[in-house]
Amino acid sequence: MVYMLLAAALLATDPIDDAVSRVSARRCRETVDHLVSFGTRHTLSDRTSPTRGVLAAANWIKGELEAAAAGSGGRMSVSIEEFGVPPGTVRMPKGGTITNVVAILEGSAPGAKERRYYLVGHFDSMCADVMNPDADAPGANDDASGTTVVMEGARALAASHPEATIVFLCTSGEEQGLLGAKLHAEKARAAGVKILGVLNNDIVGDPWGTMHPLLTGKPAPAEMGSYVRVFSEGVPRNPSAEQLAQIRSLAGEMDSPSRQLARFVNEVGTRHNLTIKPKLVFRLDRFLRGGDHTAFLEAGYPAVRFSSPNEDYARQHQNVSEIEVNGRKIRMGDLPEFVDAEYLAGVTRLNVAAVLALADAPSAPSNVRLVTAKLTTDATLRWEASPEADTAGYEVVWRDTTSPVWTGVRDAANATTLTLPFSKDDVFFGVRSYDRDGNRSPVVFAGAAKE
Ligand SMILES: [Zn+2]
């Protein structure tokens, strides 16, 4: 019997590798090209045409997600989400409608399905003038590429059976001030929705920048296209005075829930054999820039941003034009020919692996703390158990205070306390849970309690 179970386990493919294998570079290519074919997807563009503008694009995305949902056996639902924006809004002075497209893949496990994990990309676009709704704004990289991650992610994951719920969110209004994401996140917060991780993809289709083969006429160095940046904030936005005091006293400024989410993505990228690796960047976003993940952070939800390296600002938020390079005429702008479908498929695979790993993991332990009633030379940790029935145990992790990622790990089995024989002065501690299949939760940074 034992041998039969073992053989069955060896034969069964890993659900993550399975989902990853369903991502298609060809479909990524077609999706970007189709999104660009709407001419502009500016949030204030024409809402009556069936072939041009933001609403035509939204309806097409909805149809594609419905086609993906057909493979889910009724577990994935798709809807258009609309919000009214009042006149006087900064980049929507006349007010108007914000349209998002949402697909929800219902979780399969009773104790887990209330938890939600998100793939996000914005499908609105802009030319050089953020208030111009009429000019062509192909937005191939910004952000048809991120929208493609969400849509292709939905196609790849529709046949998967995650324990927690996965949400695929295509927003608009990003260029007008993150409006679609903001209104969605605020509504979720007001309804008490439990969002435990948001993976925002914005500008993820072109890692070649000014070294793009179309510009230079020769191949770019392969290492430029081998990774994607994963941005995460260190200190949570809008912390209470009490939270800030605790962050200061524990030196917790590198250990927000969003930072643990970024480290989780990093571990998934290392564990699975993926072509595009994550590169952690420890700041909210590119220097003084922003994106839809910020709207989720404002609402109190952990969120990170994926962006390809080597941005070329001559092609971002620009009007389509023609330039001459070494005697050759080249179309410039945020055009589909600059998006690399293989690279984009690689970023999609990383997202699919990470979001499924999150949704299949048990919930993280709560109230993780170092016990400090007496001064001791060892470190005792305690935590509250994860409620899910398939939780099999816990791991204590640690790292040097100068290390970006967790380096030490000790199994605590199913105990909810562990003492390690070294000082808590020189390292940071955290705890994560794991289930019977070996899925691990993100880490919870250890606080302190006089117990
Ligand atoms: Zn963008």
Side-chain angles (χ1 to χ4, degrees), residues 122 124 141-143 174-175 202-203 286 290-291 305 317:
H122 73 87
D124 63 312
N141 197 19
D142 186 10
D143 184 29
E174 197 270 352
E175 305 291 8
D202 197 349
I203 309 182
R286 292 96 26 92
R305 177 193 181 132
H317 297 175

